[in-house]
Amino acid sequence: ALPSWFEVRSTGTLGDPPQELETQQWEVLERAAPLFERAQVIEHVRASLSPRSDLPWREATLVLMRWHARGSELKLLTQVCGGDEALLEPFEDAVREALRRDAGAFEALHSVGILPEPTALALIRAVGTAGEPDGLPWLAGQLDEPGRTDVALLEIVRLSRGRPCAEADEAAARVRPFLRSDSVGRRRQAMQALAALDDESCAPLLLEALEAPDAGERKAAFAALRRLSGRDLPDRLDLWRAWFLGELEWWRHESEPTLAALASEHDAEVVAAARRLGERSLRRDELSLHLAPLLRTHASPTVRLEVVRALARLADPAALGALALALDDPDPAVRRQAHAALCG
């Protein structure tokens, strides 16, 4: 049935004499595509692909491979596409589904070889829309490729937003130099990417950008600072500078005794410390790691309630797991607060 599927799908006709397919018949072809055995599909494509393969056959192949391709077929997909602009959309779809289907596919990205530029850009978009943080290192590696930087930055923003992951620090290190780019547009994209990556180390450079002559660059810097800090201060350099200096001062002089107070035997001291930690807006991931264990270990529901409130104010994505566990807390007030934090 597989050769017949290819013939009908690539010619768009059926019968003798050939008649154009109707809408319902096209739908039947689409429903049949995932039903073929994967090994049979891959074997047929490898055996049939040649430099003489026409556009309709290659489009049919990409449509079918969307249901069957894995990391081991990424290079084959690029060969089927061949850089033909008419095939970029089905190519992108097939790659995206292969990445979602196969956790090891991201390693295979490094061995696809040299690609025509349209194919390379479609591949970058597929990695971004696949939605898997494992794609961040490869995307970051595309930043230094001429002609690919802007698309790679855009997909890093898409892939990173609200997703804590181990790959973020490495990607941020590759993005950070673009804050010094000669291109205003690229500097703005870098700000968006670093904010999506929660890279707080770029805050001093963002403060510098608040004095940039370009209004769009200043606007992007304000937006990035809001994202990184969780604060909604007005667009004023003096206020943001005061915020940053205040955070640095707190970490230098008050962080150690406040964190130590979390281990106090007196519930009131722990509650006060949790409340103060919830007011901070730098290194929120670190503070969340100090607070979250109290939801499991502290006997006082009053303390656990304040910890949930602090985690909600810190709004660090890494704390979502701890808040989810608090939904099963024995105290109803803690459960309600955890539910409100997760829904807010």
Side-chain angles (χ1 to χ4, degrees), residues 99-121:
L99 294 172
R100 289 174 174 172
R101 185 178 298 117
D102 180 5
F106 294 97
E107 286 299 318
L109 289 168
H110 299 283
S111 57
V112 296
I114 299 174
L115 301 176
E117 202 61 19
T119 307
L121 295 178

Side-chain angles (χ1 to χ4, degrees), residues 129-168:
T129 55
E132 299 294 337
D134 287 346
L136 271 177
W138 185 83
L139 283 176
Q142 301 302 302
L143 291 171
D144 296 325
E145 295 292 332
R148 304 180 189 179
T149 303
D150 293 336
V151 177
L153 283 170
L154 180 64
E155 297 306 327
I156 287 173
V157 173
R158 187 201 307 273
L159 189 55
S160 307
R161 191 170 288 137
R163 288 186 175 93
C165 61
E167 295 82 2

Side-chain angles (χ1 to χ4, degrees), residues 41-318:
V41 170
I42 305 306
E43 181 182 358
H44 182 83
V45 171
R46 291 190 187 279
S48 304
L49 179 63
S50 76
R52 296 187 301 276
S53 298
D54 60 20
L55 184 68
W57 184 90
R58 290 187 288 137
E59 181 185 10
T61 298
L62 292 170
V63 169
L64 186 61
M65 293 285 277
R66 179 177 182 270
W67 295 98
H68 300 282
R70 295 179 183 169
S72 54
E73 285 79 54
L74 288 184
K75 190 168 185 178
L76 178 61
L77 291 175
T78 65
Q79 293 169 345
V80 173
C81 179
D84 196 312
E85 292 195 6
L87 298 176
L88 293 180
E89 184 175 344
F91 167 75
E92 190 175 322
D93 290 343
V95 171
R96 179 175 58 250
E97 295 308 314
L99 294 172
R100 289 174 174 172
R101 185 178 298 117
D102 180 5
F106 294 97
E107 286 299 318
L109 289 168
H110 299 283
S111 57
V112 296
I114 299 174
L115 301 176
E117 202 61 19
T119 307
L121 295 178
L123 188 61
I124 291 171
R125 290 192 295 270
V127 174
T129 55
E132 299 294 337
D134 287 346
L136 271 177
W138 185 83
L139 283 176
Q142 301 302 302
L143 291 171
D144 296 325
E145 295 292 332
R148 304 180 189 179
T149 303
D150 293 336
V151 177
L153 283 170
L154 180 64
E155 297 306 327
I156 287 173
V157 173
R158 187 201 307 273
L159 189 55
S160 307
R161 191 170 288 137
R163 288 186 175 93
C165 61
E167 295 82 2
D169 289 344
E170 177 187 347
R174 301 290 293 269
V175 171
R176 217 170 290 129
F178 290 96
L179 289 175
R180 300 294 192 189
S181 170
D182 293 335
S183 164
V184 173
R186 194 162 289 172
R187 293 199 297 270
R188 289 165 58 184
Q189 282 186 305
M191 292 177 195
Q192 294 171 359
L194 290 168
L197 290 164
D198 288 326
D199 179 43
E200 294 180 351
S201 68
C202 73
L205 294 175
L206 293 175
L207 289 171
E208 288 182 23
L210 297 182
E211 301 182 85
D214 181 79
E217 185 173 359
R218 295 196 302 272
K219 183 177 180 180
F222 280 124
L225 284 167
R226 289 192 184 95
R227 167 64 192 269
L228 288 173
S229 67
R231 296 295 180 91
D232 191 23
L233 297 177
D235 289 358
R236 285 176 46 186
L237 172 61
D238 60 328
L239 294 179
W240 280 105
R241 185 174 285 155
W243 159 79
F244 184 65
L245 293 176
E247 289 292 318
L248 293 181
E249 284 297 302
W250 185 88
W251 276 98
R252 288 192 188 105
H253 303 296
E254 299 181 45
S255 60
E256 188 174 343
T258 304
L259 292 171
L262 293 178
S264 172
E265 297 179 356
H266 304 289
D267 291 353
E269 293 182 3
V270 182
V271 167
R275 187 174 295 127
R276 288 196 295 273
L277 294 178
E279 295 169 352
R280 309 291 8 124
S281 48
L282 275 185
R283 295 165 65 177
R284 290 178 291 161
D285 55 343
E286 184 177 337
L287 297 178
S288 295
L289 289 175
H290 284 283
L291 286 165
L294 295 177
L295 291 177
R296 300 190 307 272
T297 62
H298 209 286
S300 168
T302 303
V303 168
R304 297 197 303 275
L305 181 62
E306 191 58 45
V307 168
V308 169
R309 288 170 175 161
L311 290 174
R313 289 193 296 272
L314 290 170
D316 181 66

